[in-house]
Amino acid sequence: MAKLTVKDVELTGKKVLVRVDFNVPLKDGVITNDNRITAALPTINYILEQGGRAILFSHLGRVKEEADKAGKSLAPVAKALSEKLGKEVVFTGTTRGAELEAAIDALKDGEILLVENTRFEDIDGKKESKNDPELGKYWAGLGDGIFVNDAFGTAHRAHASNVGISANVDKAVAGFLLENEIAYIQEAVEAPVRPFVAILGGSKVSDKIGVIENLLSKADKVIIGGGMTYTFLKAQGIEIGDSLVEADKLDIAKELLAKADGKLILPVDSKEANAFAGYTEIKDTEGDAIDPGFLGLDIGPKSIAKFDAELTGAKTVVWNGPMGVFENPDFQAGTIGVMDSIVKQPGVKSIIGGGDSAAAAINLGYAEKFSWISTGGGASMELLEGKVLPGLASLTEK
């Protein structure tokens, strides 16, 4: 990566601004999944060990009006981070002002402070998410000219807490997590060890048109699953019953199939049900067509076998999007089958592109079996699409 990293700058005695991704799920004030906090620890620990004074910024959820602030404070995150680090994390509950500034000035080498949810600044004119110049300059002024971006999950957004701060410091560098995310995903797509197989699931073709087009030019095969399967099937005149379909994307699906030149691999059967919820009948289809009054909610056993064969011998696999409604045990078999096929390949470099795919791997007990699980769904998608991420582009060149 041709950008400076946290190891390229002197940190001792410096107030170091750090963008992390602590956008964790909360229920009744309790963190239900702390993976993103854990993922940030290597960079935070390195800064503290080097004698830096770490000042952390993160968003949590979406905040559009005053009422949205309820349950969106980073206070529970400060507590969880303190427990993981084994040291106090200063938290003032403010995003700007004298109290915050005094708390930062009081930090000593090796100490840490977490700023309140950056999106609290969105209540008055979306200052965070619209990258208000004044806010970015103010936050940058809280440090000593060094900014570490370790939030891959927001790298595809130009916000005040990443791009805005970067524009107002001497050195904007990548943290270890951001560096690894770029290395794994970008290098897998741009310089893969072949055979390179991409697997794309999820519900909508529209979400992944650019990704499919880019990967068709990079990968040896692109396997399609999930709800978007049925838009591709209908585009070929195959009956899909009551399955999810994007009628306005049928022509695009036809174009993608035509330009794929055999690289696009579709399911050959489905697990169908007579309703999405409250169904009374589930069965495997005979072929790729869905029966009238039914809808496809997972790939079927023949597709699992077909995808297994297509993945045999793969040396690089990038996977984004589950094969079915994996949250329901009745429709997990396809996603589990594909994961089993990926992880059993000898010497495979296996990368999950965040979002629902990451949730599926973690929830179903496969997290440790993959080479890399991305922390950013949207950012991963844009990287797979070949787009330039603003949060990365704003970092200092080597």
Side-chain angles (χ1 to χ4, degrees):
M1 188 173 71
K3 300 287 184 179
L4 292 180
T5 74
V6 67
K7 283 196 169 182
D8 295 319
V9 288
E10 176 58 49
L11 303 171
T12 307
K14 299 288 181 66
K15 290 180 286 188
V16 183
L17 308 174
V18 190
R19 182 50 161 101
V20 290
D21 183 5
F22 288 164
N23 186 29
V24 296
L26 283 169
K27 185 174 182 180
D28 299 324
V30 178
I31 298 169
T32 57
N33 185 327
D34 64 2
N35 287 332
R36 285 180 170 174
I37 299 174
T38 302
L41 294 179
T43 295
I44 295 170
N45 277 320
Y46 178 78
I47 293 168
L48 300 180
E49 288 162 5
Q50 294 297 309
R53 307 171 187 188
I55 302 157
L56 311 184
F57 295 84
S58 177
H59 75 288
L60 177 60
R62 295 185 178 183
V63 182
K64 297 180 180 179
E65 56 188 40
E66 193 68 31
D68 294 336
K69 290 170 71 172
K72 300 285 177 60
S73 173
L74 284 171
V77 175
K79 183 175 181 292
L81 179 60
S82 176
E83 291 170 356
K84 286 182 178 291
L85 292 173
K87 63 168 57 188
E88 180 192 4
V89 173
V90 179
F91 181 73
T92 62
T94 55
T95 54
R96 64 167 89 196
E99 183 184 1
L100 175 62
E101 293 161 19
I104 290 172
D105 288 342
L107 289 176
K108 295 181 175 64
D109 294 357
E111 293 186 341
I112 182 169
L113 176 145
L114 176 62
V115 177
E116 180 60 282
N117 187 347
T118 58
R119 287 195 181 163
F120 282 8
E121 290 283 348
D122 277 356
I123 293 171
D124 181 18
K126 293 190 175 180
K127 288 184 170 63
E128 156 70 322
S129 59
K130 287 191 174 180
N131 190 16
D132 177 74
E134 182 273 331
L135 181 59
K137 186 175 183 179
Y138 171 76
W139 278 339
L142 297 174
D144 288 329
I146 299 171
F147 171 60
V148 180
N149 191 349
D150 209 29
F152 180 69
T154 57
H156 61 312
R157 305 287 187 223
H159 288 174
S161 63
N162 58 5
V163 173
I165 294 176
S166 292
N168 292 283
V169 295
D170 297 329
K171 299 266 179 68
V173 305
F176 298 130
L177 177 61
L178 182 61
E179 183 182 14
N180 281 329
E181 291 273 16
I182 300 301
Y184 273 99
I185 300 173
Q186 190 165 284
E187 289 177 15
V189 175
E190 300 300 330
V193 177
R194 297 187 183 276
F196 169 30
V197 181
I199 307 167
L200 298 174
S203 59
K204 295 181 178 180
V205 175
S206 55
D207 292 340
K208 292 189 167 76
I209 292 168
V211 178
I212 294 170
E213 288 182 328
N214 189 47
L215 289 177
L216 281 173
S217 70
K218 309 282 187 182
D220 298 295
K221 300 171 187 174
V222 178
I223 293 172
I224 299 292
M228 65 177 174
T229 297
Y230 305 103
T231 298
F232 281 104
L233 294 182
K234 189 171 179 65
Q236 298 174 85
I238 297 167
E239 291 298 325
I240 62 166
D242 297 332
S243 302
L244 180 70
V245 64
E246 291 179 280
D248 62 335
K249 296 294 183 288
L250 294 175
D251 288 342
I252 289 173
K254 287 178 186 175
E255 290 172 14
L256 288 170
L257 285 164
K259 71 168 63 171
D261 195 26
K263 278 189 180 182
L264 211 57
I265 313 297
L266 292 171
V268 291
D269 67 343
S270 293
K271 186 172 286 292
E272 61 179 12
N274 59 352
F276 184 84
Y279 46 84
T280 57
E281 188 177 357
I282 303 174
K283 58 181 178 177
D284 296 321
T285 62
E286 289 297 320
D288 47 18
I290 303 295
D291 293 319
F294 283 74
L295 67 162
L297 296 174
D298 194 9
I299 60 173
K302 295 174 186 174
S303 299
I304 294 171
K306 178 181 175 63
F307 291 175
D308 181 72
E310 298 288 354
L311 283 160
T312 298
K315 292 301 180 187
T316 304
V317 177
V318 175
W319 172 42
N320 188 292
M323 298 293 99
V325 187
F326 76 94
E327 300 92 342
N328 185 331
D330 287 332
F331 308 111
Q332 288 180 348
T335 299
I336 291 173
V338 165
M339 286 195 286
D340 283 335
S341 295
I342 294 170
V343 301
K344 76 179 183 182
Q345 303 306 321
V348 69
K349 185 177 185 179
S350 53
I351 295 140
I352 298 178
D356 287 340
S357 319
I362 293 165
N363 295 344
L364 297 173
Y366 283 73
E368 301 303 318
K369 298 181 181 180
F370 283 84
S371 305
W372 185 254
I373 297 181
S374 177
T375 57
S380 296
M381 286 284 290
E382 293 200 9
L383 209 54
L384 291 175
E385 195 173 339
K387 288 184 175 180
V388 175
L389 306 184
L392 179 62
S394 64
L395 299 182
T396 307
E397 297 283 339
K398 281 188 176 178

